[in-house]
Amino acid sequence: MAVSSPESTAKARQAPPAARTLRDVVFVEGVRTPFGKAGDKGQYAQTRADDMVAKVIRELLRRRPELPPERIDEVAVAAATQTGDQGLTIGRTSALLAGLPKTVPGFAIDRMCAGAMTAVTTVASGIAVGAYDVAIAGGVEHMGHHPMAQGADPNPRFLADKLVDPSALNMGSTAENLHDRYPQLTKARADAFAVASQDKYAKALANGQIGPDLVPVATRSEQGWGLAVADELPRPGTTLEALGSLRTPFRPHGRVSAGNASGLTDGATGCLLVAADVAAELGLPVRMRMVGYAFAGVEPETMGVGPIPATEKALAKAGLSIDDIGLIEINEAFAVQVLAFTDHFGLADDDERINQYGGAIAMGHPLASSGVRLMTQLARQFDERPDVRYGLTTMCVGLGMGGTVIWENPHWTGSPNPETAATDTETTGSAQ
């Protein structure tokens, strides 16, 4: 056997690594638990958050038997409040609870409402550079067990040194600030958007477009064992008159109410992300291909505008414009936040591209889990819409941020313009 000399070993160490090409990242499967009302009377009052995540992971593997569990390289799970049943590095603990091989690592991640979105972009970046082949990403928030900001200790310098406006620490107040900043975003518009969200969700539910993404969860209450099979928060038949009578808890005579905002919610989400070549090797379906993503910061006291610069940044990096986007899934933390987005991009409040199945105003927003809920719904819409090439998922984030991920529909049946085909290939050829 040849033995390398010290000199040859040193030269090898100094040699630059071989050039490599980024790999395409594809979304293979996404599921979620039904979303429940947070609190003692909600369906998950006596259900642990980590058990909800474990159920999601097991369902992903049940739906994709082609995937050997030992091929999973990472499990990234987000939670905004990482304590109790959402603590102890929940990505690892939930992987063990789900029965994944002990060789599969996991980690926890936090970007408040964009936690699951960040879990996706983090592992997708790892797949793109070859660190992973297959990863699970998702999020959970049990707001009944862990109310928003529970146990948080904001640095007093935030307020004493006027680093942020005091309203930045209350999400409802930031929504009222948006109404102040943009007077055209009236309560009437916000209420009308909320009614439409409820109506669209009810229609999608009746059409069988919600149920396929749900995994039933066994629940426990004082009455005994039960099974969560449906979202608890929707209010079908909501009217403008009913919303007009609701109080505005964040400001007297304000514009933000429980009717035009997302409710306090418990729930978990998860998805499978795979390198495109590995998906082909294993015979896994490709439901979306990641084009690019971006996060951006904004003034904390108007955090609801975060999706605007994040989307502009993501579109610019991908070489696309908003006119290229055929479907938009935007998190409805507050109706006014969505309206700020539509106004900025010149879209109508009822633009048919936006939240075709309704949104968080109807089904709830379990903080760190919502990003993957948006993606799972977009993937189902891609299945139904081969005429649409690009879609995006976007959301505002507490303390003044926004996140956007752009996806390509693998079922797209159109043909690119010959004049732009080369550019399209360059800008969408790999995850960015």
Side-chain angles (χ1 to χ4, degrees), residues 65-383:
E66 313 95 314
L67 174 63
E70 61 271 16
R71 291 295 299 268
I72 299 170
D73 296 306
E74 189 68 273
V75 177
V77 178
T81 304
Q82 297 188 11
T83 187
D85 58 348
Q86 294 181 176
L88 203 62
T89 312
I90 194 168
R92 173 62 170 171
T93 56
S94 58
L96 293 171
L97 287 167
L100 292 184
K102 292 181 173 60
T103 53
V104 178
F107 65 96
I109 197 163
D110 173 27
R111 199 198 292 265
M112 302 185 90
C113 300
M117 177 178 282
T118 305
V120 166
T121 57
T122 299
V123 299
S125 297
I127 292 171
V129 301
Y132 310 136
D133 287 340
V134 180
I136 290 175
V140 65
E141 210 70 49
H142 199 308
M143 300 182 75
H145 292 178
H146 309 287
M148 191 183 302
Q150 180 190 54
D153 180 21
N155 194 301
R157 293 195 299 112
F158 277 141
L159 303 183
D161 295 351
K162 299 182 179 179
L163 298 177
V164 300
D165 186 270
S167 62
L169 303 180
N170 182 301
M171 297 302 101
S173 295
T174 68
E176 289 284 5
N177 290 344
L178 278 188
H179 279 290
D180 290 343
R181 178 167 293 190
Y182 305 107
Q184 76 275 18
L185 305 182
T186 62
K187 185 177 187 298
R189 285 179 66 184
D191 285 351
F193 184 88
V195 169
S197 180
Q198 296 282 357
D199 290 345
K200 287 190 288 187
Y201 176 87
K203 181 179 179 181
L205 183 65
N207 289 341
Q209 295 163 309
I210 301 295
D213 296 335
L214 305 184
V215 50
V217 179
T219 61
R220 175 75 178 172
S221 69
E222 295 177 359
Q223 289 71 42
W225 287 97
L227 191 66
V229 296
D231 297 321
E232 278 191 300
L233 282 84
R235 297 181 178 87
T238 296
T239 65
L240 286 172
E241 291 74 20
L243 294 189
S245 66
L246 297 177
R247 68 186 186 93
T248 55
F250 304 107
R251 184 184 299 179
H253 309 292
R255 291 137 300 188
V256 179
S257 72
N260 59 31
S262 58
L264 302 179
T265 319
D266 305 330
T269 63
C271 68
L272 277 172
L273 298 168
V274 184
D277 59 320
V278 175
E281 171 201 341
L282 297 176
L284 294 168
V286 174
R287 302 187 61 199
M288 299 195 295
R289 188 181 68 82
M290 183 179 285
V291 175
Y293 65 86
F295 294 92
V298 298
E299 292 174 318
E301 61 270 24
T302 53
M303 66 95 192
V305 299
I308 295 172
T311 298
E312 289 181 327
K313 189 175 179 181
L315 289 171
K317 287 180 176 292
L320 299 171
S321 75
I322 196 68
D323 293 334
D324 296 309
I325 305 301
L327 291 165
I328 298 170
E329 279 291 315
I330 180 169
N331 192 44
E332 298 170 1
F334 301 93
V336 66
Q337 159 253 316
V338 181
L339 297 176
F341 180 92
T342 57
D343 269 20
H344 176 84
F345 286 105
L347 309 177
D349 294 359
D350 60 353
D351 190 299
E352 64 178 9
R353 292 175 288 178
I354 298 173
N355 295 1
Q356 293 199 339
Y357 299 168
I361 288 173
M363 66 190 80
H365 170 33
L367 300 186
S369 71
S370 287
V372 166
R373 193 268 299 170
L374 300 174
M375 296 170 191
T376 301
Q377 291 192 182
L378 180 62
R380 188 159 302 282
Q381 291 163 26
F382 274 171
D383 292 342

